[in-house]
Amino acid sequence: MTKKKSGAAMPHIRMIDSEADALTELTLQQQRDSVRFYELLLEEIDRAAICGRADIPSDVVTMGSSVTFTDEKSGAERTIRLVYPAEADISAGRMSILTPVRAGLIGLSVGQSINWPDRGGAEHRLTIVAVQQPA
């Protein structure tokens, strides 16, 4: 059974085993800063189907992938590369997984949507348009 947030069923997600471990560790280290956000990310990791990199389809958002998504609340479409905090560089389009909206993208595949809160707690419906894996 899929857990629900704000009345909407959560989409099935998949994560690479090593990335799930790294994200769990990062989240636990940073949890004191924003407890609710990190609880959400840990819930996502917990409900994900964890598999090896070779078993993840190319249209699934993973660490290092470029993802184009729409935010139905603002109508904006953005393309970013999802990275660990040390690799983040906003001017280069590399966004940290440890930002509220970006954390909601991990594990989704093209066509899937999720309701996910921003820093202020306002919920956004994010839909994956395209995913490009790193070379």
Side-chain angles (χ1 to χ4, degrees):
M1 178 181 234
T2 304
K3 295 178 186 175
K4 290 188 176 187
K5 287 187 173 103
S6 302
M10 299 298 285
H12 173 76
I13 63 173
R14 293 169 275 208
M15 286 188 191
I16 297 169
D17 50 6
S18 60
E19 291 179 359
D21 290 344
L23 288 172
T24 298
E25 183 64 29
L26 273 171
T27 302
L28 292 173
Q29 288 174 3
Q30 301 294 320
Q31 194 170 18
R32 67 188 170 276
D33 297 335
S34 176
V35 174
R36 182 63 190 136
F37 163 67
Y38 293 109
E39 285 175 353
L40 287 172
L41 183 53
L42 286 172
E43 286 174 12
E44 289 297 280
I45 295 166
D46 187 48
R47 73 181 191 83
I50 306 297
C51 14
R53 182 170 293 279
D55 298 322
I56 292 285
S58 62
D59 71 340
V60 173
V61 178
T62 62
M63 296 303 297
S65 61
S66 290
V67 56
T68 301
F69 65 97
T70 57
D71 179 340
E72 292 180 24
K73 185 173 189 164
S74 68
E77 181 175 287
R78 291 193 70 184
T79 299
I80 57 108
R81 181 170 301 276
L82 194 61
V83 298
Y84 292 105
E87 302 165 18
D89 180 348
I90 293 172
S91 65
R94 294 190 310 261
M95 304 293 192
S96 171
I97 182 72
L98 294 184
T99 59
V101 171
R102 302 324 175 266
L105 303 175
I106 191 76
L108 294 174
S109 58
V110 173
Q112 286 187 309
S113 299
I114 191 168
N115 293 329
W116 198 261
D118 63 16
R119 287 186 196 281
E123 198 163 273
H124 295 256
R125 182 142 182 93
L126 309 174
T127 301
I128 305 301
V129 176
V131 175
Q132 181 179 1
Q133 296 301 328

